Amino acid sequence: MTLSLASPHVINLTQIRSEIRDLFPNLVEWRRILHQHPELAFNEYFTASFITEKLTKWGIPHQTNIAQTGIVALIDSGKPGAVLGIRADMDALPIQEENEVSYCSLYEGKMHGCGHDGHTAIALGTAYYLWKNRDRFQGQVKIIFQPAEEGPGGAKPMIEEGVLKNPNLDGIIGLHLWNNLPLGTIGVKNGALMAAVELFECTIFGKGGHGAMPDQTVDAVVVSAQIVNALQTIVSRNVNPLDSAVVTVGSLHAGSTHNVIADTAKMEGTVRYFNPQLDRVIDQRIKDIISGICQAYGASFELKYQQLYPPVINHDKMTELVKSVAMNVLETPAGIVPECQTMGGEDMSFFLQKIPGCYFFVGSANTQKGLDFPHHHPRFNFDETALGIGVEMFVRCVEKFCNS
Ligand code: NI
């Protein structure tokens, strides 16, 4: 089969081995079935049974119900060697799909709007290929199908349930299909790739009253306005200018009408940063600023702060491995994009905190085909050619890592 590529980086995909090209129709079929059945975090029951049914049919040993819907398949070459983990996330988003394709979501208000259907299909294809070709590598490969990447995070509970042990992983890799990059490119970068994700919710308690008699009140609108502005000084005045960070107040609600002073205001925001040393720094500044301003204005507050995911930090040697494999798959260094850092977050970070690893992006946008809507958009869709590239990347990483 010839894979056609219509992207700014037109490349020759003969480097995708014929067995994986033969698998391509299956990858597309699996991805489309999964796309029709999107399931939200920790509710990936159809997805899990779809995976389990395939693994069972192929005879691949696996464990189910890890962190509710997670699955781990173990492919043992029977020869001594390293153990590599491959992680794929399985969950979808609460979005009403607006694509007009034959394989549209069958579930109202739910959609695979980030490409995790593709990740699951790639991981299944990788499992199938490696199992059929156990003679071509040494050591063992653990394929981790992870629930709930969006929101609550399935990586941490899977680690707590022991997925990194027995056999112990020596390295771990994972990929994200990426519409910020054109098909035919691979985004790979050592060090910080994606940001830490933290959330906060704050309620300001003032004292309401008549809009014409402000002296009798503590105006929650004025207090919250001061807070929103002052929070912006954390990045500009407390973070080293050579580091990147974001403090965003995304929602602010207060008051009911023009002549009533609001007694409460509620705001919600998110914090992002790459440098792990900023852990607990921004958090503390937010508390100090809110507390100081409230005290100055005679208001009180309640703050809920949640550290969702740490930053995704890639290991140097594992990044080199992925980069060299990408160079072989794409046949050109021009397709390797190191400038792929994003302030988006990913709970792959929990695996990378424990095991040397590399998370990378497989370019999946194809402007000519209209497949270039951003992730989490109701019309997000990707060029399925990237599925074959994903499997080839994983398989080659296994051969190179486990044999070394
Ligand atoms: Ni995603």
Side-chain angles (χ1 to χ4, degrees):
M1 179 192 308
T2 312
L3 303 179
S4 69
L5 280 173
S7 83
H9 295 260
V10 178
I11 53 154
N12 176 6
L13 280 184
T14 51
Q15 286 299 98
I16 292 193
R17 62 194 72 181
S18 61
E19 297 100 315
I20 293 177
R21 275 184 273 161
D22 292 344
L23 203 56
F24 188 69
N26 302 88
L27 297 174
V28 170
E29 184 198 318
W30 302 334
R31 181 263 160 162
R32 292 184 177 188
I33 292 172
L34 294 167
H35 191 85
Q36 286 182 305
H37 300 86
E39 298 170 301
L40 302 186
F42 293 122
N43 283 290
E44 305 90 341
Y45 295 105
F46 173 90
T47 310
S49 67
F50 184 82
I51 296 165
T52 309
E53 188 210 307
K54 296 265 178 283
L55 296 174
T56 306
K57 192 171 99 189
W58 300 334
I60 300 176
H62 60 277
Q63 262 182 286
T64 58
N65 300 353
I66 305 169
Q68 297 186 50
T69 46
I71 296 165
V72 174
L74 185 65
I75 299 165
D76 189 346
S77 71
K79 301 177 284 290
V83 185
L84 183 65
I86 293 178
R87 175 272 204 174
D89 44 10
M90 309 147 71
D91 59 322
L93 287 156
I95 297 174
Q96 180 65 41
E97 178 157 18
E98 289 176 14
N99 282 314
E100 284 165 17
V101 288
S102 59
Y103 52 93
C104 241
S105 168
L106 298 175
Y107 302 155
E108 188 78 12
K110 293 177 196 167
M111 176 194 177
H112 267 294
C114 199
H116 302 185
D117 47 349
H119 304 168
T120 304
I122 290 170
L124 271 175
T126 304
Y128 179 82
Y129 178 89
L130 290 173
W131 180 247
K132 289 279 171 207
N133 298 281
R134 302 197 283 289
D135 53 323
R136 291 202 196 169
F137 70 98
Q138 295 173 358
Q140 300 172 72
V141 178
K142 219 182 239 190
I143 303 199
I144 300 167
F145 296 92
Q146 182 212 298
E149 188 283 317
E150 307 281 0
K156 208 173 172 203
M158 281 194 102
I159 293 168
E160 285 160 3
E161 291 189 29
V163 292
L164 304 182
K165 298 189 187 125
N166 199 16
N168 292 348
L169 294 187
D170 298 304
I172 189 160
I173 53 173
L175 65 77
H176 208 302
L177 295 168
W178 207 234
N179 268 16
N180 296 315
L181 291 175
L183 182 71
T185 61
I186 306 270
V188 51
K189 182 196 171 299
N190 67 350
L193 178 74
M194 300 179 83
V197 180
E198 305 183 347
L199 308 175
F200 62 91
E201 265 178 49
C202 180
T203 308
I204 310 297
F205 301 101
K207 186 179 163 206
H210 198 294
M213 301 165 199
D215 53 305
Q216 297 172 7
T217 71
V218 174
D219 189 342
V221 168
V222 170
V223 177
S224 57
Q226 300 284 351
I227 290 172
V228 172
N229 278 329
L231 291 181
Q232 294 311 309
T233 64
I234 298 174
V235 173
S236 70
R237 287 299 172 267
N238 303 126
V239 173
N240 182 327
L242 300 177
D243 279 332
S244 298
V246 173
V247 175
T248 289
V249 176
S251 85
L252 174 60
H253 296 279
S256 54
T257 188
H258 57 94
N259 60 353
V260 175
I261 286 176
D263 62 343
T264 58
K266 196 171 177 180
M267 64 181 79
E268 292 177 325
T270 187
V271 170
R272 310 286 170 114
Y273 56 86
F274 291 124
N275 185 348
Q277 287 178 347
L278 287 171
D279 178 26
R280 292 288 167 198
V281 172
I282 296 178
D283 172 353
Q284 191 55 49
R285 283 303 296 149
I286 288 177
K287 278 179 199 152
D288 290 348
I289 285 172
I290 293 175
S291 149
I293 290 176
C294 282
Q295 201 194 357
Y297 288 84
S300 58
F301 70 98
E302 197 181 275
L303 177 66
K304 285 184 205 152
Y305 200 95
Q306 196 191 352
Q307 293 190 297
L308 211 55
Y309 304 157
V312 171
I313 312 277
N314 284 332
H315 186 270
D316 293 1
K317 277 194 180 144
M318 293 300 293
T319 307
E320 276 315 307
L321 172 94
V322 171
K323 213 181 267 181
S324 69
V325 165
M327 207 87 90
N328 289 332
V329 173
L330 300 180
E331 289 187 312
T332 163
I336 315 286
V337 186
E339 303 82 8
C340 54
Q341 236 181 358
T342 162
M343 280 280 171
E346 244 290 340
D347 72 346
M348 177 73 184
S349 52
F350 289 108
F351 291 116
L352 296 172
Q353 275 186 333
K354 304 269 181 194
I355 309 283
C358 179
Y359 194 61
F360 60 98
F361 297 128
V362 173
S364 57
N366 188 332
T367 307
Q368 280 93 333
K369 292 184 187 169
L371 301 169
D372 56 356
F373 281 90
H375 293 258
H376 296 204
H377 189 282
R379 289 185 66 192
F380 171 81
N381 202 354
F382 58 86
D383 191 318
E384 289 166 324
T385 312
L387 300 171
I389 300 175
V391 176
E392 184 71 37
M393 282 296 299
F394 276 159
V395 164
R396 283 186 195 233
C397 284
V398 167
E399 291 166 353
K400 197 156 183 175
F401 182 80
C402 297
N403 295 358
S404 65

